[in-house]
Amino acid sequence: MQALLKPVKYLIGLTIKTFHLPVNVGGLKIQFPSFMNMSERGSTITGKYEISERKLVSKYIKSDDAVLEMGACIGVVSLSINKMLNDKSKQVSVEPNPQMHKYLHENKINNKGEFNIETCIVSKQKEVDFFIGGKAFLGSNTMGRGKKITVPGKTLTELKNEYFDFTALVMDIEGGELNFFRSFDLESSKIRLIIWETHMHPNMLSKEELFECYEKLEKQGFSLKEKAGNVEAWSRSV
């Protein structure tokens, strides 16, 4: 069956690329990167891209939240968050990978998004090494392989001072989760909700490192509310 689907996905992908067609993802009109291979592009018509993140965002983000999104990529989750907010300017979406910027901005405009975009990594370091991998969406500051670039770092305090206090965090940062949890004291923040994708993969997080993430969240008053695939929602009373 999979062998039969491959040429179909290729032809669909080729059509999408040739005519620069947007793909419907959860009611959003999304342009995917031109450097995706044809089968990857063809697979996008299922509408399942980032489906776990979108499910938990729609369930747990409140209309009055102020959201920091880390790892915005091409903006599918960014736009899903933005639809939930009464004040749509109360969202900062961070994406360090320069390959994604064109698509993030284009998708924001085409879907009338009103979120703020930051090109940085949330870190206490002023500059952070970032590695762009071989797959279309793979980029991480923990992989240690792929094309290396330098990305500016901004702390939570710097972002808060530039924008506003955050009440919710949505995070898909390809193995950088533990560095973030080690670096920042969330207990004294106003963050009540964290939706994050766990990355227990080689060159990302080991099982022990993932458990350390859990320990740090629990010590700061967060508890697990729901899992959807590799994406988890944690919350606390603030």
Side-chain angles (χ1 to χ4, degrees), residues 10-229:
Y10 181 92
L11 288 173
I12 293 170
L14 182 61
T15 303
I16 292 169
K17 182 173 183 177
T18 300
F19 296 100
H20 195 62
L21 298 175
V23 177
N24 187 310
V25 181
L28 302 168
K29 296 177 180 179
I30 299 299
Q31 289 287 351
F32 283 87
S34 60
F35 48 81
M36 292 175 72
N37 69 46
M38 295 308 149
S39 293
E40 286 176 331
R41 186 180 297 274
S43 297
T44 62
I45 65 162
T46 63
K48 293 181 179 180
Y49 179 76
E50 304 284 34
I51 192 168
S52 297
E53 288 89 340
R54 290 187 282 121
K55 173 187 174 182
L56 295 184
V57 160
S58 67
K59 185 170 182 178
Y60 290 101
I61 292 290
K62 296 180 180 179
S63 60
D64 61 349
D65 269 324
V67 182
L68 173 61
E69 179 196 16
M70 297 163 56
C73 197
I74 60 171
V76 173
V77 177
S78 314
L79 289 160
S80 300
I81 296 166
N82 215 228
K83 290 197 301 184
M84 303 290 297
L85 303 180
N86 286 336
D87 184 347
K88 300 187 185 306
S89 68
K90 286 293 183 96
Q91 176 183 340
V92 178
S93 292
V94 173
E95 177 49 55
N97 188 343
Q99 290 185 341
M100 300 300 150
H101 293 168
K102 171 186 174 182
Y103 303 97
L104 178 57
H105 284 276
E106 183 176 0
N107 289 326
K108 175 186 172 181
I109 291 168
N110 290 346
N111 293 277
K112 296 181 171 60
E114 298 176 38
F115 53 91
N116 304 281
I117 296 175
E118 278 283 335
T119 304
C120 68
I121 288 178
V122 184
S123 172
K124 289 185 175 179
Q125 296 177 271
K126 292 297 182 184
E127 292 186 333
V128 184
D129 287 340
F130 185 81
F131 300 88
I132 301 172
K135 293 184 179 179
F137 299 109
L138 186 56
S140 172
N141 70 327
T142 61
M143 286 193 305
R145 58 184 173 85
K147 179 183 177 182
K148 185 173 81 169
I149 62 172
T150 301
V151 177
K154 287 191 177 183
T155 67
L156 276 179
T157 300
E158 287 171 333
L159 289 168
K160 181 187 78 172
N161 290 342
E162 188 173 348
Y163 294 98
F164 35 76
D165 266 321
F166 302 106
T167 61
L169 174 63
V170 179
M171 184 165 61
D172 181 1
I173 55 175
E174 307 295 337
E177 303 92 330
L178 182 55
N179 286 340
F180 176 82
F181 291 135
R182 283 173 173 172
S183 298
F184 296 105
D185 173 24
L186 302 181
E187 193 169 10
S188 60
S189 76
K190 294 185 178 180
I191 294 172
R192 65 163 193 91
L193 171 71
I194 302 176
I195 297 172
W196 60 300
E197 182 172 352
T198 63
H199 292 91
M200 198 173 70
H201 302 296
N203 300 313
M204 292 190 185
L205 290 182
S206 67
K207 184 177 181 180
E208 292 73 22
E209 288 171 329
L210 180 60
F211 286 166
E212 185 180 341
C213 291
Y214 292 157
E215 289 173 358
K216 290 189 176 298
L217 284 171
E218 290 169 352
K219 284 180 180 178
Q220 297 183 85
F222 290 90
S223 59
L224 176 64
K225 295 301 177 186
E226 186 174 348
K227 286 187 178 185

